[in-house]
Amino acid sequence: MRAVRMTAPGVLELAEVPTPEAGPGEVLLRVGAVGACHSDLHILDAAAGMFPTPMTLGHEIAGTVEAAGPGVDGWSSGDRAAVYGIIGCGRCRACLRGEENRCRVTPVGGIGLSRDGGLAEYVVVPASRLLHVGDMDLTQAAPLTDAGLTPYHAVELARPRLRPGTTCVVIGIGGLGHMAVQILLATTAVRIVAVDTNVAALDLASRLGAHHVVQAGPDSVDKIRDLVGPPPDGADVVLDFVGAQPTLDTARQVVATGGQLLLVGLAGGTLPVRPVADEPPTVPLETGVVVPFWGTRAELQEVVALARDGRLHADVQTFPLAEAPEAYEALRRGDIHGRAVIVP
């Protein structure tokens, strides 16, 4: 079969590899669609030894069951499924609570992160990782597993502060951010302020229902402050889907006292936290800071339910498998609006 493999740090190659076989408790999935994520770029850019090579990338996967291995119940050939990519230890306190994204034993990893992923014609996954998606378009189902799940999990973490009439600032209207706008609209009654450098991304946010849009730049903090009021007031919640220094600086300057910052993006910025009494604090008093990671299987089931009900739709650009390297380069350049989805 064909697969797109990371053969060395920074190197993606289309290769012919043997079709895998499902072992006990596993399912062979014929891949229908795979989302291209910024996390994949971080894997490609990581130092040698941080991730296994060669490895097939791709952790946002949806497909059709080709064959079930020994001991698998509930899945038959032809069933359509989305893949929950995290594989925890299954034994620690977090995993036993269903919070495998907080596993205390297994380092961050999973399908497409520490074992072969979905940028291939077939992939083998534990049957426990699959969720039924019915007749949903697989190019829509695949992004739900990260681009939908991660912002949903972040919103769940902030839900106590997302009361009716409050304000949420969403920074970065890309693959995750444009899903966050829809999740907020579908599950809360908050006012949404969307922030991005790209006018097309802001147009997308407006079409999806954001109440206000602000183009990021030297005066973006002032523009957001015009909407949320002066300190100590401000945004009740800020979701930063970029994580670069300019976005973190914006986030901490517009959040309200007692608000919450959720830092989802991994662009390498630094949030200064320094308790002081003789100058403005680097982060407002009583402000919570959370770094969300992916989400739980139960949350993914809820994300799928939102999509099947028509309340969540990924804006996708599709690429054939052979053009996966080009899709990642477009993602790196910032040329993807919404989510890039690769179709084997």
Side-chain angles (χ1 to χ4, degrees):
M1 70 172 186
R2 297 178 305 150
V4 175
R5 310 268 282 169
M6 180 174 71
T7 56
V11 180
L12 271 184
E13 296 181 354
L14 182 66
E16 286 286 338
V17 298
T19 301
E21 295 183 0
E26 295 180 330
V27 164
L28 177 65
L29 198 70
R30 185 170 72 251
V31 178
V34 186
C37 180
H38 270 98
S39 298
D40 297 324
L41 297 180
H42 295 305
I43 294 171
L44 283 166
D45 294 343
M50 288 194 65
F51 295 94
T53 54
M55 179 178 70
T56 302
L57 293 186
H59 57 270
E60 282 190 0
I61 309 166
T64 304
V65 173
E66 183 77 8
V72 172
D73 294 320
W75 292 99
S76 302
S77 178
D79 288 345
R80 294 155 64 84
V83 177
Y84 176 71
I86 299 174
I87 301 177
C89 73
R91 303 181 304 276
C92 70
R93 283 178 290 176
C95 286
L96 291 173
R97 289 195 299 265
E99 298 172 342
E100 291 167 277
N101 58 317
R102 297 178 177 179
C103 181
R104 298 188 177 193
V105 175
T106 304
V108 173
I111 299 162
L113 300 174
S114 56
R115 58 181 280 171
D116 283 339
L119 280 179
E121 294 175 298
Y122 295 91
V123 63
V124 165
V125 300
S128 62
R129 305 298 95 182
L130 299 183
L131 286 86
H132 288 278
V133 297
D135 60 357
M136 185 186 304
D137 185 335
L138 295 179
T139 63
Q140 284 295 310
L144 299 179
T145 62
D146 184 355
L149 174 57
T150 298
Y152 187 86
H153 176 63
V155 169
E156 284 296 296
L157 293 174
R159 193 156 309 274
R161 288 181 172 87
L162 294 171
R163 311 302 301 171
T166 59
T167 299
C168 181
V169 172
V170 180
I171 301 176
I173 311 301
L176 277 66
H178 88 286
M179 302 290 267
V181 170
Q182 297 174 74
I183 291 164
L184 288 165
L185 287 167
T187 67
T188 76
V190 303
R191 181 176 60 153
I192 302 167
V193 180
V195 183
D196 203 289
T197 58
N198 189 289
V199 173
L202 296 177
D203 289 343
L204 174 60
S206 294
R207 294 197 304 272
L208 293 173
H211 302 92
H212 304 278
V213 296
V214 173
Q215 187 170 15
D219 59 350
S220 55
V221 169
D222 292 337
K223 289 181 178 179
I224 297 169
R225 277 289 173 193
D226 287 343
L227 297 170
V228 300
D233 202 357
D236 300 272
V237 172
V238 180
L239 298 167
D240 183 356
F241 291 102
V242 181
Q245 197 59 53
T247 63
L248 292 176
D249 288 341
T250 296
R252 69 181 181 83
Q253 291 179 75
V254 302
V255 69
T257 293
Q260 189 167 17
L261 299 174
L262 294 105
L263 314 181
V264 185
L266 302 173
T270 300
L271 181 73
V273 179
R274 187 175 69 253
V276 293
D278 57 348
E279 59 184 87
T282 55
V283 174
L285 299 172
E286 294 282 321
T287 295
V289 180
V290 181
V291 182
F293 175 62
W294 226 333
T296 69
R297 279 187 288 172
E299 288 169 337
L300 179 54
Q301 187 173 45
E302 293 167 3
V303 170
V304 171
L306 283 176
R308 296 189 69 178
D309 197 44
R311 301 187 185 196
L312 186 60
H313 181 87
D315 187 68
V316 303
Q317 295 177 243
T318 59
F319 298 80
L321 183 64
E323 295 180 12
E326 289 80 1
Y328 281 110
E329 287 307 310
L331 182 63
R332 191 186 295 278
R333 293 193 303 268
D335 292 342
I336 300 296
H337 304 302
R339 200 56 154 182
V341 174
I342 296 158
V343 180

